[in-house]
Amino acid sequence: MRPPLKIITLNQGEKAWIKKAKTQDSKAQQWLYEKYAAKMLSVCRQYVRDMQFAEDIMVNGFVKVFQNLGSFENRGSFEGWIRKIMVRESISYLRKKQFVVYDNDVLENQKGQVHADFDTFDTEYIQQQIDKLPEGYKMVFLLFAVEGYKHHEIAEMLRISEGTSKSQLFKARKMLQANLKWMTKSTGGN
C-alpha cells in the first residue's frame, strides 16, 4: 500500500522565514530582504527618477517592513504587502521633498480615454516616458495603471479629490500617448 501523498505549499519556506523575522532574527530578515530587494527597488524607481534616492527609499521601506512585520497576518501576498509599504514610502518621500504639484484643473469632459499600445516599446523607453511626466501625473498614473488602485483610494492616499485623481490620470495618459505617438512617427513605426 502506498503512503498518502503529502501536499506541500510552495510558500511554506517563506512563511517560516517570515515567522522567524517577526522575532527579530537577523538571518531571516536578511533572507527576506535579499528575496525582495530587487523587485522593491524597481517599485521605488518607478516613482523616483534618481536611483540613489530610490535605493534610500527602498531601505527605509524595509526598515518599516521589519518594524511592522507583526501586523502581517499571512493573509494575501507577502510581496503585495511589502509593495504597498514601498509605494507609500515613495509617496511620502516625494511629498516631503515637495516634488508633487497637482493641477487642480479638473477636466469636465473625459470622453475618449487615451490608450497606447505599449507592446511596441521596450520597458526602459516606457519608464523614461513615465519619468518625463509631471510628478503629480506620474504618481496618479502609477498608482492607477501599475498598482491597480481606484480613484477614491488614490485620492485618500495623496490627499487630493477624486476628480483631481481622474484629471491627473487623463492628462498623464494624454501626454504619454503624445510622446509615444511622436516616437512611433520619428522611428518610422506604425
Side-chain angles (χ1 to χ4, degrees), residues 38-51 53-55 57-58 83 86-87 90-91 94 123 126-135 137-149:
K39 287 181 183 178
M40 296 308 123
L41 179 58
S42 71
V43 169
C44 297
R45 169 58 188 84
Q46 287 176 331
Y47 290 87
V48 179
R49 289 183 187 110
D50 187 302
M51 184 60 87
F53 292 128
E55 287 174 355
I57 293 164
M58 181 202 61
R83 185 180 185 97
M86 295 299 163
V87 168
S90 298
I91 291 169
L94 290 170
T123 306
I126 293 171
Q127 183 63 53
Q128 289 171 353
Q129 297 310 305
I130 292 170
D131 284 343
K132 290 179 182 177
L133 293 172
E135 290 298 335
Y137 292 14
K138 178 180 171 182
M139 201 176 309
V140 170
F141 177 80
L142 290 171
L143 289 170
F144 185 86
V146 177
E147 304 299 335
Y149 286 102

Side-chain angles (χ1 to χ4, degrees), residues 83-95:
R83 185 180 185 97
K84 284 182 182 180
I85 291 172
M86 295 299 163
V87 168
R88 290 179 190 275
E89 195 66 20
S90 298
I91 291 169
S92 177
Y93 167 81
L94 290 170
R95 209 181 266 135

Side-chain angles (χ1 to χ4, degrees), residues 20-188:
K20 285 182 180 180
K22 285 181 178 183
T23 66
Q24 306 299 315
D25 182 302
S26 62
K27 286 183 183 179
Q29 290 175 338
Q30 183 67 30
W31 187 88
L32 291 171
Y33 178 85
E34 288 175 2
K35 180 171 182 178
Y36 291 108
K39 287 181 183 178
M40 296 308 123
L41 179 58
S42 71
V43 169
C44 297
R45 169 58 188 84
Q46 287 176 331
Y47 290 87
V48 179
R49 289 183 187 110
D50 187 302
M51 184 60 87
Q52 181 180 351
F53 292 128
E55 287 174 355
D56 290 345
I57 293 164
M58 181 202 61
V59 169
N60 290 337
F62 270 104
V63 168
K64 288 194 176 170
V65 165
F66 296 129
Q67 287 173 341
N68 296 296
L69 203 50
S71 69
F72 180 69
E73 299 173 348
N74 291 321
R75 286 190 218 142
S77 160
F78 183 65
E79 181 178 333
W81 183 77
I82 295 174
R83 185 180 185 97
K84 284 182 182 180
I85 291 172
M86 295 299 163
V87 168
R88 290 179 190 275
E89 195 66 20
S90 298
I91 291 169
S92 177
Y93 167 81
L94 290 170
R95 209 181 266 135
K96 285 178 193 170
K97 296 298 179 188
Q98 298 180 342
F99 287 138
V100 183
V101 177
Y102 296 101
D103 180 358
N104 290 325
D105 192 17
V106 179
L107 298 177
E108 297 287 325
N109 183 2
Q110 293 188 5
K111 293 178 188 170
Q113 292 290 321
V114 179
H115 299 283
D117 181 14
F118 290 126
D119 294 336
T120 60
F121 302 101
D122 71 358
T123 306
E124 186 176 326
Y125 178 75
I126 293 171
Q127 183 63 53
Q128 289 171 353
Q129 297 310 305
I130 292 170
D131 284 343
K132 290 179 182 177
L133 293 172
E135 290 298 335
Y137 292 14
K138 178 180 171 182
M139 201 176 309
V140 170
F141 177 80
L142 290 171
L143 289 170
F144 185 86
V146 177
E147 304 299 335
Y149 286 102
K150 306 239 184 292
H151 285 293
H152 70 274
E153 295 170 313
I154 295 169
E156 185 179 315
M157 287 174 69
L158 301 180
R159 299 181 197 136
I160 59 176
S161 72
E162 196 171 329
T164 299
S165 177
K166 290 176 181 178
S167 173
Q168 298 293 297
L169 178 64
F170 177 81
K171 291 174 183 180
R173 285 180 169 168
K174 193 172 181 176
M175 280 182 91
L176 283 173
Q177 182 187 38
N179 290 345
L180 296 174
K181 197 178 279 187
W182 177 85
M183 181 60 177
T184 303
K185 287 180 183 177
S186 69
T187 59

